Amino acid sequence: MSGGAGSTRDWDASVYDRVSDPQLDWGRRVVERLALEGDETVLDAGCGTGRVTALLLERLPRGRVIAVDGSPAMAEKARAALPADRVEVRVADLLELELEEPVDAAFSTAVFHWIADRPRLFRRLHAALRPGARLVAQCGGQGNLAGFMEEVEAVIAREPFAAALEGWERPWLFSSPAEAALALADAGFEQVDCWLEPAPVVLDDPRDFLRTVVLAPHLDVLPDELGDELLDRVLERAGAPLTLDYVRLNITATRGDD
Ligand SMILES: C[S@@+](CC[C@H](N)C(=O)[O-])C[C@H]1O[C@@H](n2cnc3c(N)ncnc32)[C@H](O)[C@@H]1O
């Protein structure tokens, strides 16, 4: 996997598609929260390989989706999986998002915590919505993976990882509901509601999941052999079966009538 320009990076889309059942389960419940007539145009902000986008599309029998992702590999996989006449897949950084026409709703799952510039992200999403349109989203929130990351930090505090990761910036931002609500209101959103939801996940075969999702940013900056060693050490320390202490931040907000 390679780091990308701006706030995006490329992902191992084949493996993500195979291991992302937790994200699919969370996404299914977020899709249900979006009130739709069925004929709208909806933005999927950070569509990944399109597994959750497909669920969104089921709610839009007469509508369409604009699916945006910053990872070319993810977008390619989504494009292959989704009907081209009803889903337009675009490769773009959400921080640079510009749509020709405003959409009727915006949807996003498991994405916002990867984007540190939350004020800019929310301004771009606000600008992409028509007046009165809703944003319904979920991402990692305050306390997400805190216990698991404590184990990871204990491993990487020691050599050979400490030297290799010196100065490396953790890419995630796990906000509290209050922080997210403030940023959304600052971007112009109204009727903002944000809340946390514990969502622990037990993984029977965790190596590929850690490699592709949770520890992918670490592995991006480590040589391959050190990356494998990191996975060994973390799996050993965390024990089996591995429970990941996920906490999701739910978001609903509306673009006012201006
Ligand atoms: C964990 S995946 C979630 C994908 C999908 N929504 C799901 O629930 O399975 C996170 C996705 O966010 C995308 N992403 C992260 N930062 C982004 C940015 N700044 N612009 C566009 N996409 C971004 C990644 O490329 C990746 O596909």
Side-chain angles (χ1 to χ4, degrees):
M1 256 179 286
S2 60
S7 77
T8 63
R9 57 183 288 282
D10 212 359
W11 285 60
D12 187 333
S14 299
V15 177
Y16 182 79
D17 199 58
R18 176 164 55 75
V19 301
S20 56
D21 283 357
Q23 285 82 356
L24 183 67
D25 288 343
W26 301 329
R28 180 174 290 115
R29 292 175 39 221
V30 184
V31 167
E32 284 165 10
R33 293 212 323 265
L34 190 57
L36 291 168
E37 297 294 327
D39 59 355
E40 294 91 339
T41 297
V42 180
L43 168 70
D44 185 358
C47 63
T49 60
R51 293 181 80 193
V52 181
T53 321
L55 301 178
L56 178 60
L57 199 61
E58 283 175 13
R59 301 273 324 278
L60 294 163
R62 300 172 306 287
R64 54 191 283 271
V65 175
I66 299 175
V68 174
D69 202 281
S71 157
M74 290 292 222
E76 192 184 326
K77 189 109 182 130
R79 204 172 280 128
L82 297 163
D85 56 334
R86 297 210 297 127
V87 183
E88 183 192 339
V89 180
R90 295 186 187 186
V91 180
D93 186 341
L94 290 168
L95 292 176
E96 307 296 335
L97 181 70
E98 273 186 37
L99 301 180
E100 301 73 34
E101 297 287 331
V103 288
D104 300 308
F107 170 87
S108 181
T109 52
V111 176
F112 293 173
H113 54 273
W114 294 102
I115 303 176
D117 191 347
R118 220 47 77 68
R120 185 180 171 106
L121 171 67
F122 290 156
R123 283 199 304 274
R124 301 312 311 160
L125 293 175
H126 186 268
L129 289 168
R130 66 160 172 73
R134 304 281 283 163
L135 164 67
V136 171
Q138 186 188 72
C139 61
Q142 185 177 43
N144 194 50
L145 293 173
F148 177 73
M149 283 302 177
E150 223 171 89
E151 305 294 339
V152 175
E153 290 296 328
V155 172
I156 65 175
R158 301 208 185 99
E159 297 303 348
F161 310 109
L165 290 170
E166 198 185 336
W168 171 67
E169 284 183 31
R170 280 79 179 141
W172 318 272
L173 179 61
F174 298 129
S175 308
S176 68
E179 288 162 345
L182 192 62
L184 286 158
D186 281 350
F189 280 100
E190 300 175 6
Q191 300 170 44
V192 174
D193 194 8
C194 301
W195 70 100
L196 293 175
E197 175 187 338
V201 167
V202 181
L203 296 172
D204 294 330
D205 181 14
R207 197 177 179 90
D208 277 346
F209 190 92
L210 294 184
R211 181 199 301 281
T212 310
V213 184
V214 184
L215 298 182
H218 299 73
L219 302 188
D220 278 351
V221 293
L222 290 174
D224 287 351
E225 64 282 4
L226 267 194
D228 283 334
E229 197 177 331
L230 177 65
L231 287 168
D232 289 343
R233 297 262 195 98
V234 167
L235 285 167
E236 204 178 273
R237 194 180 164 99
L242 178 62
T243 301
L244 293 179
D245 52 336
Y246 274 107
V247 178
R248 313 315 288 166
L249 172 67
N250 291 302
I251 291 172
T252 62
T254 302
R255 175 171 177 158
D257 285 328
D258 295 349

